[in-house]
Amino acid sequence: MSNIESSTQLHHVEKGTSLAEDAFERLRNNKMAMISLFILLFIIGISLLTPWIAPYSYEEQNLDLGASAPSATHWLGTDALGRDQLTRIMYGSRISLMVGFIATAVALTIGVLWGAIAGFMGGRVDAVMMRIVDALYALPFTIFIILLTVIFGSSMLLLFLAIGAVEWLTMARIVRGQVLTIKRQEFVEAAISMGLSPWRIISRHLIPNVLGPVIVYTTLTIPSVILLESFLSFLGLGIQPPASSWGSLISGGVETMEEYPWLLIFPGLVLTITLFSLNFLGDGLRDALDPRASKD
């Protein structure tokens, strides 16, 4: 009987948990992060189901009704053309989230790879790559977008690529700074001494150890990109009518905020909730994915 008990205890001792399981457990214990995750999933779910659950058609107008305050038939009111504001916010979430996530994904991919390679290689490679970043920083963003629009034409795909092509610059600097610190640690020097290729060291050892700052900055980039899209829409370079996004709805609400405050309050509130949720989730993911975090 004692041998069986010893074998069982040994089995429990040998059985471990993966890094992903440890990270999920730490994230699950963070109440604010989990609440934020559920809110974001709810908003994403609403945006995906909008064509089927929206209370009114996107194109439906009631010029006789005009801009009306929230009521039983229009929960969030209507705009100057009599269009249901709730419906426009729901459809706007599809474009805003798409712009936010896709443009951020472009910036994340370019910035992480650029910064990791520059930081690890060092020397002249690092100097040349970061001077390119500095040169791009000096370019006026608005002029850069206008040039792309003139050359390639106005399209939503161009908007994603243009925003992502600019937002990666800060990401590259953050990753480079983290890599410069990490590459001097023992596990990286051991990997180099074992003859591992630079790409393997970067992808398997360096990038996973900078996920914390990257994720936090990513959660800040998404709302920043959404607001940037609203600025471009205001200039006529972003989402064009009749399509709308949270940014364009807010821009329109600012113009009539004194007469019709609900046109600004409700899209602004949705964007604010999304921004706070992304921030709290980013903090939770940073703590959960920290490779230096000890097991509980």
Side-chain angles (χ1 to χ4, degrees):
M1 188 69 180
S2 61
N3 291 334
I4 296 176
E5 292 177 352
S6 299
S7 177
T8 302
Q9 294 175 355
L10 181 60
H11 173 73
H12 286 301
V13 170
E14 293 177 347
K15 184 179 179 180
T17 57
S18 65
L19 294 176
E21 292 173 338
D22 292 339
F24 178 75
E25 184 65 25
R26 289 192 290 269
L27 179 63
R28 191 175 62 178
N29 293 331
N30 190 322
K31 294 182 179 180
M32 289 303 302
M34 293 304 296
I35 293 174
S36 299
L37 176 61
F38 287 129
I39 292 175
L40 289 173
L41 291 177
F42 175 76
I43 294 175
I44 293 173
I46 291 295
S47 68
L48 294 175
L49 298 175
T50 290
W52 297 276
I53 65 176
Y56 295 90
S57 171
Y58 182 77
E59 297 85 4
E60 184 174 348
Q61 299 181 8
N62 188 343
L63 297 178
D64 294 332
L65 181 63
S68 62
S71 62
T73 55
H74 298 280
W75 293 355
L76 302 185
T78 59
D79 64 4
L81 297 177
R83 294 175 294 187
D84 182 68
Q85 186 72 351
L86 175 59
T87 299
R88 288 174 58 77
I89 290 176
M90 292 172 65
Y91 274 97
S93 68
R94 297 167 64 86
I95 296 179
S96 291
L97 293 177
M98 191 181 301
V99 170
F101 284 106
I102 295 180
T104 301
V106 173
L108 182 68
T109 301
I110 300 175
V112 169
L113 291 177
W114 192 279
I117 293 173
F120 178 72
M121 299 303 294
R124 292 184 178 178
V125 175
D126 180 29
V128 172
M129 294 180 70
M130 297 315 296
R131 295 299 78 74
I132 294 176
V133 171
D134 294 338
L136 292 176
Y137 257 120
L139 293 177
F141 172 74
T142 304
I143 295 178
F144 178 70
I145 297 295
I146 293 174
L147 289 176
L148 290 178
T149 304
V150 172
I151 295 174
F152 299 104
S154 179
S155 67
M156 191 175 298
L157 177 60
L158 175 64
L159 181 65
F160 298 156
L161 297 177
I163 295 177
V166 173
E167 291 292 332
W168 70 270
L169 300 174
T170 303
M171 180 75 72
R173 285 184 168 182
I174 292 174
V175 173
R176 173 183 175 270
Q178 294 292 318
V179 169
L180 288 175
T181 302
I182 295 174
K183 76 174 186 177
R184 302 184 183 278
Q185 297 186 7
E186 291 79 2
F187 70 95
V188 178
E189 294 179 352
I192 296 175
S193 64
M194 292 173 62
L196 297 182
S197 65
W199 172 246
R200 186 174 179 84
I201 295 174
I202 291 173
S203 61
R204 297 293 298 274
H205 298 282
L206 295 179
I207 292 180
N209 281 276
V210 300
L211 282 180
V214 166
I215 289 176
V216 172
Y217 182 72
T218 299
T219 58
L220 296 175
T221 301
I222 294 175
S224 174
V225 167
I226 294 174
L227 292 175
L228 182 56
E229 178 275 324
S230 68
F231 170 71
L232 294 176
S233 297
F234 178 77
L235 296 179
L237 301 174
I239 304 301
Q240 301 299 318
S244 65
S245 62
W246 290 340
S248 61
L249 291 175
I250 292 173
S251 298
V254 169
E255 299 175 0
T256 59
M257 60 181 298
E258 294 183 359
E259 297 177 329
Y260 316 120
W262 60 87
L263 297 180
L264 173 63
I265 292 174
F266 292 120
L269 183 61
V270 173
L271 179 59
T272 300
I273 292 174
T274 303
L275 185 150
F276 275 107
S277 298
L278 287 167
N279 287 340
F280 286 126
L281 179 60
D283 289 340
L285 288 173
R286 176 196 59 194
D287 298 335
L289 295 173
D290 188 351
R292 294 167 294 183
S294 59
K295 294 183 179 181
D296 295 332

